[in-house]
Amino acid sequence: MTIAREDCLATGIMTSDSRVLLFFIDGLGIGTRGRHNTFDGLSDAAPLAIFQNEPAEIPFAGILAPTDACLGIEGRPQSASGQTTILTGVNAPKIIGAHKQGFPNQALLDIIREHSIFLQLKNKGIESITFANTYTKRFFERRPRWISATTAAVEAAGLRFNVVEDLKAGRAVYHDFTNEMLIEYGETVDMRTPEIAGDVLAGIVRSHRFTLYEYFITDKIGHAQDCDAARRVLPMLARFIRAVLRNLDLTNTTMILTSDHGNIEDLSARNHTLNPVPTITWGRNAEAIASRIGTLADITPAIVWTLTANATARSQRTTSTSNEV
């Protein structure tokens, strides 16, 4: 018995070509209005401009799930433990007893190496997975002592890292999606508008079942309390996100945007905030995924469920059909 694509869509069974993009933004919280908040009065910042106690107007029918980044642990959420939690589904601050700033320590690396989202998907037969960001030769020639949670997550699954040659071929995006920083570093690459970069990232997503993209300039701006930089960068980031969404087939693709903690939404202090972070879902299964997310620890399980439920549904449907014959 053949199940038509239309029947799959009608019954909620995911097709085998379903895809997920996890778009991670470092240091983006849901803040209150006021002079401290860069987004207040900033034009062309959708879908990033979200305020507490106000309905969110999100383009492309996005669904907001305000997400707890504190995870039941006292203190301000931090990057190493928050990102570890996002990329594993394990409440890392609870395991180590505190929020950990900067890069993962050995305890967090141990969590990532056992529970990396890439490794979980690979172990479940989802092979077409990638970290879309570009690495330069300097990383491999002079590997830093401390590595990011994303780098550790990629290594845990034995995945290949994208390099500048991949970027030139349209197979990767730099963390500064315009390539301006790469050019300043001496790389011979073309500048990209947010729209061109969005088209490139969407193409990567179309070629993989799961794609992760990481952007962390927002957190650097927040720590610097640089309002001018924020007002320059945030509209470009918003254009990039909208370009990605315009170029995706949202009937078979889910895009999930999230963050590890607040920061850039409150420039009155250099510290991270206690604000919830926005998890926004678009496209295939957006409502189901949003309903599953309450804390950072829920994101990886929701993605694994999304990409593996299809196989379960097909198996159940095949068994049922066989019993009827």
Side-chain angles (χ1 to χ4, degrees):
M1 175 180 177
T2 301
I3 304 172
R5 178 179 175 82
E6 291 79 11
D7 293 336
C8 290
L9 295 176
T11 59
I13 299 174
M14 286 177 290
T15 57
S16 60
D17 63 347
S18 61
R19 282 146 171 69
V20 173
L21 166 62
L22 177 58
F23 194 114
F24 169 70
I25 301 175
D26 198 330
L28 176 69
I30 303 175
T32 57
R33 285 194 181 272
R35 295 181 61 183
H36 60 282
N37 192 336
T38 311
F39 291 108
D40 196 354
L42 183 64
S43 61
D44 198 29
L48 301 174
I50 298 173
F51 302 96
Q52 292 183 21
N53 305 314
E54 294 186 21
E57 297 182 3
I58 303 174
F60 297 92
I63 301 172
L64 172 66
T67 305
D68 171 30
C70 295
L71 296 162
I73 301 300
E74 186 177 354
R76 298 180 185 276
Q78 300 294 336
S79 295
S81 49
Q83 291 169 28
T84 297
T85 300
I86 291 171
L87 295 174
T88 63
V90 175
N91 186 334
K94 183 177 180 180
I95 295 296
I96 66 173
H99 297 286
K100 171 69 173 66
Q101 65 183 9
F103 298 103
N105 58 13
Q106 189 59 53
L108 294 177
L109 288 174
D110 289 343
I111 293 172
I112 294 169
R113 286 165 181 162
E114 183 175 355
H115 300 285
S116 162
I117 184 170
F118 293 109
L119 184 60
Q120 290 188 46
L121 291 172
K122 192 172 181 180
N123 287 341
K124 290 183 178 293
I126 308 296
E127 295 287 346
S128 183
I129 52 182
T130 189
F131 181 36
N133 289 56
T134 307
Y135 285 70
T136 64
K137 290 182 179 179
R138 287 188 301 173
F139 175 84
F140 303 103
E141 292 171 349
R142 290 179 290 178
R143 181 183 170 94
R145 177 183 177 187
W146 300 100
I147 60 172
S148 68
T150 45
T151 296
V154 172
E155 289 185 334
L159 299 185
R160 175 183 175 275
F161 288 101
N162 288 315
V163 294
V164 174
E165 286 71 20
D166 295 296
L167 182 143
K168 292 179 179 180
R171 297 189 299 266
V173 183
Y174 196 53
H175 78 84
D176 167 24
F177 52 85
T178 69
N179 292 342
E180 182 178 354
M181 290 183 177
L182 272 179
I183 294 170
E184 290 176 355
Y185 294 154
E187 299 286 352
T188 306
V189 296
D190 294 331
M191 284 284 290
R192 284 175 175 170
T193 65
E195 288 71 27
I196 292 174
D199 183 47
V200 172
L201 181 54
I204 296 167
V205 174
R206 288 192 295 269
S207 299
H208 297 86
R209 296 291 309 282
F210 174 70
T211 302
L212 169 66
Y213 173 74
E214 176 183 33
Y215 183 85
F216 53 83
I217 295 174
T218 36
D219 194 49
K220 292 180 176 294
I221 291 172
H223 286 304
Q225 297 176 278
D226 191 337
C227 185
D228 289 339
R231 290 184 175 273
R232 181 179 68 255
V233 165
L234 290 173
M236 294 183 66
L237 177 59
R239 285 169 54 193
F240 176 40
I241 293 167
R242 296 196 301 267
V244 175
L245 287 162
R246 275 195 301 271
N247 285 284
L248 289 177
D249 179 359
L250 294 177
T251 65
N252 69 3
T253 304
T254 305
M255 176 168 166
I256 305 170
L257 182 153
T258 197
S259 185
D260 50 353
H261 52 72
N263 190 350
I264 200 169
E265 81 282 3
D266 186 351
L267 297 183
S268 66
R270 294 180 180 274
N271 297 326
H272 297 164
T273 71
L274 298 173
N275 292 328
V277 301
T279 298
I280 307 174
T281 59
W282 290 271
R284 186 74 175 164
N285 290 299
E287 291 186 10
I289 292 171
S291 70
R292 289 170 173 260
I293 295 175
T295 78
L296 298 183
D298 298 323
I299 293 170
T300 278
I303 293 171
V304 173
W305 168 81
T306 300
L307 290 173
T308 59
N310 171 63
T312 301
R314 290 175 64 190
S315 175
Q316 292 173 346
R317 191 68 172 263
T318 301
T319 301
S320 176
T321 303
S322 300
N323 290 338
E324 294 173 0
V325 175

